[in-house]
Amino acid sequence: MGLFDRLTTMLRSNINDLISRAENPEKMLNQLVLDMRSQLAKAKQQVAAAIADEKRLQAQAEQEKKLAEDWEKRAMLAVQEGRDDLAKQALLRHAEHMQAAQQLEETWRKHAAETESLKNSLRTLNDKIEEAKRKKNILIARQRRAEAQQRIHETMSSMSDKSAFETFERMSERIEQNERKALASAELSEELEGDQLQRQFSQLEYKADADTQLLALKQKMGLIAGPKGGPAKQIGAGHDAQDAELVEDDDQKPGA
């Protein structure tokens, strides 16, 4: 089983376990994202180790090639010096290192292809986790909205019960009755407290004061005689006086 197959199986197991224990969806989603990020960190470490192995194999292959080249140069030097025996031994070493270099290069190339596949899988996994984080926020928002709707529905359902409205009506009537009792008590206390005779004279004085003010208003308007016994001004008297003066003037004209 490959690295990411194991990772996928582990994540699927964690998801199934969380769903089976899902008492709080928001908490479950947050924990799921945390688990995915933790597994991603482990996968990154393993991919990094695979990359390091790939580079080590490449370096070993390059080293074997270099050794093979060195032994080939030695074989050429032996031939120049007339030492064919040494040249043969150097060529044997050259062949050994070339064979090792070829094997290492084949292994390195296979490992490099697997490492590139792992890096692609790691990028895909990282993108999926980022997508899961975005979906998590959307799912949490939907869950909160659903919970709010549920609470509103439960509240409305409880308020639709007739007994609740009847309770409000009874409380309203009781409060109104208490208010009427309070007003009656205040009125009764006002009647019982204080000097009744004083209150009656106060009422008479208020009435007399009102009569005095009305009399003063009529005197100001000239409707009744003033305090010095002056004549009362009659409404419409002004026009009669002007007519009388005009008649008197006509009698005094010559030839009248």
Side-chain angles (χ1 to χ4, degrees), residues 29-45:
L29 290 171
N30 287 329
Q31 184 61 45
L32 179 59
V33 170
L34 288 176
D35 291 345
M36 293 172 70
R37 294 179 66 178
S38 176
Q39 297 301 327
L40 177 64
K42 294 180 180 178
K44 286 181 178 179
Q45 292 177 355

Side-chain angles (χ1 to χ4, degrees), residues 127-151:
D127 293 340
K128 288 184 177 297
I129 290 176
E130 291 299 320
E131 182 182 0
K133 288 166 61 178
R134 292 190 293 270
K135 287 183 177 180
K136 179 205 71 171
N137 295 331
I138 296 174
L139 290 173
I140 289 176
R142 290 173 58 187
Q143 174 64 21
R144 291 176 179 175
R145 184 168 63 251
E147 291 175 354
Q149 290 175 346
Q150 180 65 24
R151 287 193 296 268

